[in-house]
Structure formats: structure tokens, C-alpha cells
Amino acid sequence: MKEMFTLLLILGLATSLGAWPAFDEFNVFDYGASGVGRTDDSKAFKYAWRNACNAETHSAKVIVPEEGTFLLKPLMFHGPCKPQFIHFIISGTIVASGSPKTWDGLDSSQWIAFKNVTGLNMYGSGLLEGHGIHWWNQSCRYHPDREDCTKLAPTVLKFISCNGGTLSNIYIVNSPQTHVLISDSKGFNVDNVMIQSPQDSPNTDGIHIHSSHIIKITNSIIGSGDDCISIGDYSSNIDISNIECGPGHGISIGSLGKDGRIVLVENVHIRDSTFKGTTNGARIKTWQVGRGNIRHVIFENLVFDSVDNPIIIDQNYCDVRGACKEKKSGVKISDVTYKNIYGTSSSSVAITLNCSRSVPCSGISMENINLASVTPGKFLLANCINVQGTEVGVNPGSCLN
């Protein structure tokens, strides 16, 4: 009786103060999700998110259970939210519709997006399946003659203005376009994710960073039809390490400066990573007509296995490759370090630094680089144009001396 009286007293006080004990777990099954993978579960996710975002608690959890497969239409989860932290725990499988018609009248650039959410932590042992093949089959890149070809296709996960967030322990496959976008965010960490799409899938970057700062990407395996990781405009303090990249186009800064835009990317550190069968390794790519700066970049402790262009700067990018007329404009590339880089090149030119005559690359440092051909005994070249810098222990060389 005494225990019952104490419980009733506590509940009575909570009721009188308008503060019942916080409910902090929101399972999508409790909101009507079927979990069979064939009926639309979008409303259940929407309502679970709404209640989690509005919960009067320090930390809320949206639960996507292991025993379910959940079909979702395009969804935007909005903040700001009341809890300091929201954990979006994906243990089951989330699948997209295989038909591009699902996006008719909607934003075709996104599937699952989070906006203005601080303290978001997405993790779990689950799978996100983008079913991108139908988008790839009508891509303008591969099917330019189709009247209904598509230039823009959904990104599986978008994090827009999400500060202090994390993405970890998630498996993402077959995105129609970019797999993960981090945009206008600060203090966002990605760790131990696996991203896979076919080598010939168009524009399927693994992770793209845009206009974001203090971003860490670590301990992840990424294979796609485009860059494993790409860094876009107005991004700074980017730390990328322990990445297994391949297939794909490597880890790239750019392309930047299209349509004469002003560029600022700085303090980027890419290290302790491997590249297997990629078209590029450590790449910086800028449009001729761009302006601004890329500076304070380090590529360090990298291993290349059968990479077409292990080290490449292309400051003369334009619409028609190989037919770019020289411009007086250009993005200034400075203070770039390449250090402790080893492996094999599948092309004859292992190092290409193609810089602008009007805005040459400066402060380029190369140290302890040893690249060999995948073909035993084949001689490799290094080609540097309009570059100011130093090199020590570089093979093939010399390039900067």
C-alpha cells in the first residue's frame, strides 16, 4: 500500500505541474508501419518523427525495428526539435520505390532528408536501398537522346543545416544519384558506413560535402560510379581518414568555380586511405572561369592500387574536355601537400598537375612518393605545368624541380 501511495503521489504531482514522465522512444510500428516492404510506410515515419521532435525530453529515439522492411516515399524531417539529441536508429531495411514516377510533382533531388536538426544521430545495423537502376536507365549522361532523360535524381540521405550530428554503422546501396549529402552543416561526423553502387552508375557520389565546416569522415568503405567523397564550395576544416575507396572516381575537391563562381575551400586533410581500381586518386578539379581559393590541403599516407590518375590537379576544366581555350581567370590553388604516397598507376602519367598560366598553383609540396606501373617494367611520367613548389623523394619525377 505504501508503494502504491508513493506512486500515486508522484503522478499527482506530475499532473499538477503539467509534466508527466517523458516518453522518449518512438517506434514506427506504433504509428502504423506495416514493415512488409510493399505498402507505403511514410506516414508512420512522419508521425513518429513529429512526436520525437516535439517530445519534452533531453533525448528522443526514433526506432526502425530490425524485423521490418519499410517502403518510403520522399520525406523531409524538419527541425528544430525540442530534445537536445535525437537518435534515429535504423535496425531494419528502408527501401525506395523503384519507379521515378513516384517523384512526379515532388523534389526529385531527395529521398530522405533532415533539415535544421541539431544533435541528430543516425545509426544502426540497417540498410537503405535506393533502387537507383530505373533512374540510371534514363540518365541524360548515358541516354542524351531520350526526351524524358533525367539530369537530377534523388539523393538517399540529405543532411541540411544539421549541426552537431552523426551518421554511423549504416549500409547504403544503389542511390539514384549521390548517396549522402552534407550541406550547410557544422560539426558533423560520419563513421563506419558502407556505401555501394555499380561502377557504371551515373553521378552516384558516395558522400558530397557542400558549404559545411568541421566535418569528419572516418573508417568507411565506399564504392560508386562517381567520387567516393567529393568536397564542394565553401567548405573548411574537413578531416577524411581510413577510407577504402573503389570503384569510383577517387576523393576529390571539386569541381569548383562553374559559371564564374567564387570559391573558398580550405584546411582539408585526407589521410590513411586506400584506392583500388579508381579513375582518380587524390584530385583537385576547378573550372577555368572560377575565382577564389583552394588552400591548405594535405593528402597523406595514401595507397593506390591500379589507379588511372593517382595524383591530379586540373585547373583548366571546361565543358569540352581537351578543347579548353586558355582563360585569364582561375581558382587559386595553394599550399597543397602530398606526402607518403605509394602504389600503382594503370596509366602512363601517374602525376598530373595541370595549372593555369594566369593563376598558377603555388606552394605545392611533394615528399616521399613512390608510384609504379601496374605493368612490370613500364616507365611512368609526371607532368607539371605552371606549378611552383618543391619535391623530395618523388618517383616518377622530377615534376616540380
Side-chain angles (χ1 to χ4, degrees):
M1 278 297 291
K2 184 177 180 180
E3 289 80 8
M4 178 67 72
F5 175 79
T6 303
L7 176 60
L8 290 172
L9 179 61
I10 293 171
L11 292 176
L13 287 171
T15 303
S16 65
L17 295 173
W20 284 80
F23 177 52
D24 63 359
E25 290 194 3
F26 304 86
N27 189 315
V28 295
F29 276 139
D30 295 332
Y31 294 86
S34 68
V36 298
R38 293 185 300 275
T39 57
D40 181 17
D41 287 324
S42 301
K43 285 185 178 180
F45 277 67
K46 179 181 177 181
Y47 295 146
W49 173 263
R50 181 191 64 187
N51 286 2
C53 188
N54 290 310
E56 299 287 351
T57 181
H58 174 75
S59 178
K61 298 177 182 178
V62 176
I63 308 293
V64 182
E66 181 179 7
E67 58 270 23
T69 297
F70 305 91
L71 174 65
L72 297 187
K73 290 184 177 179
L75 280 174
M76 172 74 82
F77 298 108
H78 286 278
C81 297
K82 292 180 180 179
Q84 185 174 350
F85 299 101
I86 290 192
H87 302 273
F88 204 105
I89 305 170
I90 302 175
S91 300
T93 298
I94 300 176
V95 297
S97 166
S99 172
K101 292 185 180 298
T102 301
W103 276 259
D104 285 352
L106 301 172
D107 181 356
S108 61
S109 74
Q110 70 176 50
W111 178 32
I112 299 170
F114 296 84
K115 188 172 184 178
N116 294 324
V117 183
T118 298
L120 172 67
N121 299 287
M122 175 179 280
Y123 56 92
S125 56
L127 169 70
L128 294 170
E129 166 61 81
H131 286 306
I133 188 167
H134 295 290
W135 293 91
W136 308 333
N137 288 341
Q138 63 183 42
S139 165
C140 292
R141 173 182 284 190
Y142 292 156
H143 307 281
D145 297 331
R146 282 187 58 155
E147 292 184 3
D148 63 342
C149 77
T150 53
K151 294 181 179 179
L152 186 64
T155 292
V156 164
L157 279 177
K158 281 188 177 183
F159 301 96
I160 306 166
S161 300
C162 291
N163 298 331
T166 66
L167 173 68
S168 60
N169 305 313
I170 293 291
Y171 187 24
I172 306 169
V173 298
N174 299 324
S175 180
Q177 204 154 306
T178 301
H179 290 74
V180 177
L181 170 68
I182 302 167
S183 178
D184 299 296
S185 299
K186 185 176 182 180
F188 198 99
N189 293 345
V190 179
D191 181 67
N192 194 33
V193 300
M194 179 177 285
I195 295 172
Q196 289 184 321
S197 62
Q199 186 171 2
D200 60 353
S201 56
N203 302 313
T204 53
D205 294 66
I207 301 171
H208 180 65
I209 303 164
H210 176 76
S211 193
S212 294
H213 312 281
I214 314 176
I215 307 298
K216 290 186 70 173
I217 304 174
T218 54
N219 306 313
S220 296
I221 299 171
I222 304 173
S224 70
D226 212 304
D227 295 316
C228 293
I229 301 171
S230 56
I231 300 169
D233 246 340
Y234 298 104
S235 296
S236 66
N237 299 299
I238 311 297
D239 187 7
I240 298 170
S241 65
N242 293 300
I243 306 299
E244 294 182 24
C245 173
H249 294 180
I251 297 179
S252 298
I253 299 173
S255 58
L256 302 176
K258 189 175 183 180
D259 300 323
R261 295 172 190 157
I262 297 175
V263 170
L264 180 58
V265 172
E266 58 187 351
N267 301 326
V268 178
H269 195 179
I270 299 166
R271 57 192 171 89
D272 304 313
S273 297
T274 61
F275 301 74
K276 184 171 184 178
T278 56
T279 56
N280 303 288
R283 178 167 67 161
I284 300 175
K285 181 173 66 171
T286 63
W287 289 76
Q288 286 181 306
V289 294
R291 295 172 292 160
N293 287 275
I294 298 172
R295 58 196 178 200
H296 310 311
V297 178
I298 300 173
F299 295 98
E300 184 178 21
N301 301 334
L302 306 180
V303 177
F304 300 126
D305 181 355
S306 302
V307 173
D308 288 349
N309 304 293
I311 296 173
I312 181 168
I313 293 177
D314 186 0
Q315 204 180 0
N316 294 297
Y317 192 72
C318 67
D319 286 315
V320 183
R321 297 184 187 183
C324 305
K325 293 183 179 180
E326 188 172 328
K327 304 280 186 181
K328 292 186 177 180
S329 58
V331 177
K332 178 65 177 176
I333 299 173
S334 61
D335 299 318
V336 180
T337 297
Y338 300 89
K339 185 177 181 180
N340 300 333
I341 296 176
Y342 308 94
T344 57
S345 172
S346 52
S347 67
S348 59
V349 182
I351 300 173
T352 300
L353 306 183
N354 177 22
C355 297
S356 163
R357 185 184 308 186
S358 301
V359 190
C361 301
S362 64
I364 308 301
S365 173
M366 291 189 162
E367 180 183 347
N368 198 21
I369 297 172
N370 190 4
L371 298 171
S373 174
V374 292
T375 305
K378 185 176 180 180
F379 185 71
L380 293 183
L381 300 172
N383 184 16
C384 298
I385 302 172
N386 303 316
V387 185
Q388 301 164 2
T390 60
E391 66 179 57
V392 177
V394 177
N395 179 53
S398 77
C399 191
L400 300 179
N401 296 332

